[in-house]
Amino acid sequence: MLSHLPQALAFIVALIFSANSFANDTALSRAEQDEKHMYAIRIVFGEHIVSATLEDNPSTRDFIAQLPLSLDFDDYSSTEKIAYLPRKLTTTGAPPGVDPDVGDIAYYAPWGNLALFYQDFGYSDGLIRLGRITAGLEHLSFPGSKQAKIELVPAD
């Protein structure tokens, strides 16, 4: 009976390594899938580019369906740059509101506008987070109104 112990032990060790490898592969494929469900956009203000990633949610997919867009952005309350979209986005599955952080891109459902937050702001009902600015936040410090082109960045 003891002669089979090394074989049984080897089998158990192989089984554990196999299960661990499967778990790591599954975690990696989930991370890769999550990465594939992020969208990259650029917002071009003249010569300045603001880069961002968007979350995968119904509102974001509805927004992406409208791209490319040319929009006029205005300052709102020295906190955010806002622009009105050609049509309202779906709010299916959206939370009742969010507390945006500096760098957040959001959609304000009651007014139908896109918001780029360059200052901190508190919780707001009807606000849906679409994504985050990853570079170029400093380009939102302009006064008055400025036109921008928003486009989806092609995947590699």
Side-chain angles (χ1 to χ4, degrees), residues 62-89:
D62 200 15
F63 172 63
I64 288 170
Q66 295 186 37
L67 298 180
L69 285 172
S70 289
L71 300 172
D72 292 321
F73 281 86
D74 292 302
D75 195 72
Y76 185 76
S77 193
S78 300
T79 303
E80 61 193 284
K81 299 299 183 186
I82 65 168
Y84 290 88
L85 297 172
R87 66 172 173 77
K88 288 191 171 196
L89 302 179

Side-chain angles (χ1 to χ4, degrees), residues 27-156:
L28 181 60
S29 67
R30 283 186 191 141
E32 290 170 345
Q33 287 174 353
D34 287 346
E35 212 172 276
K36 288 179 184 175
H37 290 292
M38 297 290 284
Y39 303 94
I41 61 167
R42 68 177 141 247
I43 306 167
V44 183
F45 291 98
E47 297 177 8
H48 302 290
I49 297 174
V50 176
S51 300
T53 57
L54 300 178
E55 300 170 6
D56 184 18
N57 62 51
S59 300
T60 297
R61 288 190 298 275
D62 200 15
F63 172 63
I64 288 170
Q66 295 186 37
L67 298 180
L69 285 172
S70 289
L71 300 172
D72 292 321
F73 281 86
D74 292 302
D75 195 72
Y76 185 76
S77 193
S78 300
T79 303
E80 61 193 284
K81 299 299 183 186
I82 65 168
Y84 290 88
L85 297 172
R87 66 172 173 77
K88 288 191 171 196
L89 302 179
T90 183
T91 58
T92 301
V98 295
D99 181 359
D101 293 322
V102 172
D104 275 353
I105 298 173
Y107 172 66
Y108 187 56
W111 293 355
N113 68 282
L114 188 64
L116 311 176
F117 286 90
Y118 65 90
Q119 294 292 330
D120 193 25
F121 191 72
Y123 176 88
S124 182
D125 282 328
L127 197 60
I128 301 168
R129 183 176 289 115
L130 300 179
R132 296 253 331 130
I133 293 171
T134 56
L137 184 65
E138 68 276 10
H139 301 308
L140 299 180
S141 63
F142 61 86
S145 181
K146 195 178 259 192
Q147 189 174 68
K149 182 174 183 175
I150 305 173
E151 54 195 12
L152 192 60
V153 175
D156 291 333

